[in-house]
């Protein structure tokens, strides 16, 4: 999957040996001109979760329908970047300025991790999480401005690997 197009995404069809473009249907209203898919992840239901600057969406490839995923009021203005589901039906989301979010789709609980990503030095960038990957042990790897971080699931701990411009 390659997100980034304003109205769809590409997948690699290994059998055909080519990239295939999936145009997403517009959502009536403010998203009709495209919404810039920045992160994609296959949900436990088989649908696609799409992270966008305009919110969070779910695309059903069988019905070819898309719907917005309801967000808590405090998160409705967030710009989402990366998305990744873990084995416990939890969706991890990177944001433009609000750190990392975790949504438990079973309990509908939201957790925000921003302080855990703060390195304690004001000169280092924080808050922007570009891309996410969940490994087979449910550890979450984050590409972020100034380095990367990992959430170690077994230890319930974040590790930050950040650098500054004057790092040697």
């Amino acid at each position: 999957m390659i997100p980034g197009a304003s109205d769809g995404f590409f997948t690699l069809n290994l059998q055909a040996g080519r990239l295939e473009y999936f145009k997403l249907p517009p959502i009536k209203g403010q998203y009709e001109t495209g919404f810039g898919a920045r992160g994609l992840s296959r949900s436990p239901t088989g649908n696609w979760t799409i992270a966008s600057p305009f919110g969070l969406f779910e695309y059903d490839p069988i019905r070819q329908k898309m719907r917005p995923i309801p967000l808590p009021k405090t998160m409705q203005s967030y710009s989402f970047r990366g998305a990744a589901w873990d084995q416990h039906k939890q969706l991890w989301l990177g944001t433009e300025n609000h750190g990392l979010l975790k949504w438990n789709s079973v309990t509908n609980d939201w957790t925000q991790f921003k302080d855990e990503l703060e390195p304690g030095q004001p000169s280092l960038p924080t808050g922007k999480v570009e891309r996410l990957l969940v490994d087979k042990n449910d550890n979450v790897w984050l590409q972020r401005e100034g380095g990367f971080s990992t959430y170690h699931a077994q230890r319930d701990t974040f590790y930050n690997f950040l650098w500054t411009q004057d790092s040697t």
Side-chain angles (χ1 to χ4, degrees), residues 147-159:
F148 71 97
S149 297
T150 183
Y151 169 75
H152 193 277
Q154 240 179 359
R155 294 186 179 151
D156 191 27
T157 303
F158 280 90
Y159 297 98

Side-chain angles (χ1 to χ4, degrees), residues 4-21:
S6 65
D7 60 354
F9 58 92
F10 291 90
T11 61
L12 177 60
N13 182 330
L14 293 174
Q15 290 178 336
R18 67 176 182 259
L19 283 176
E20 294 179 349
Y21 181 69

Side-chain angles (χ1 to χ4, degrees), residues 82-84 86 90-94 100-102 113 132 134 140 151:
D86 68 18
Q90 299 179 123
L91 176 63
W92 295 83
L93 295 162
L100 178 69
L101 300 173
K102 177 178 71 170
F113 302 98
L132 302 171
V134 177
V140 182
Y151 169 75

Side-chain angles (χ1 to χ4, degrees), residues 53-120:
F54 302 107
L56 196 57
F57 301 88
E58 180 180 54
Y59 177 67
D60 181 335
I62 294 168
R63 293 187 182 119
Q64 296 186 347
K65 300 235 181 228
M66 190 163 54
R67 69 171 187 86
I69 295 174
L71 296 167
K73 200 170 202 129
T74 57
M75 297 177 190
Q76 289 177 359
S77 65
Y78 285 14
S79 177
F80 296 99
R81 301 194 66 82
W85 285 90
D86 68 18
Q87 298 171 38
H88 302 288
K89 297 183 180 177
Q90 299 179 123
L91 176 63
W92 295 83
L93 295 162
T95 68
E96 183 74 34
N97 297 308
H98 298 92
L100 178 69
L101 300 173
K102 177 178 71 170
W103 175 48
N104 184 319
S105 66
V106 176
T107 64
N108 200 32
D109 289 329
W110 289 86
T111 307
Q112 185 169 8
F113 302 98
K114 192 167 181 189
D115 294 339
E116 294 83 352
L117 301 177
E118 299 279 341

Side-chain angles (χ1 to χ4, degrees), residues 34-62:
F35 53 84
R38 289 189 179 163
L40 296 164
S41 185
R42 181 78 71 156
S43 76
T45 64
N47 294 337
W48 290 103
T49 301
I50 303 166
S52 158
F54 302 107
L56 196 57
F57 301 88
E58 180 180 54
Y59 177 67
D60 181 335
I62 294 168

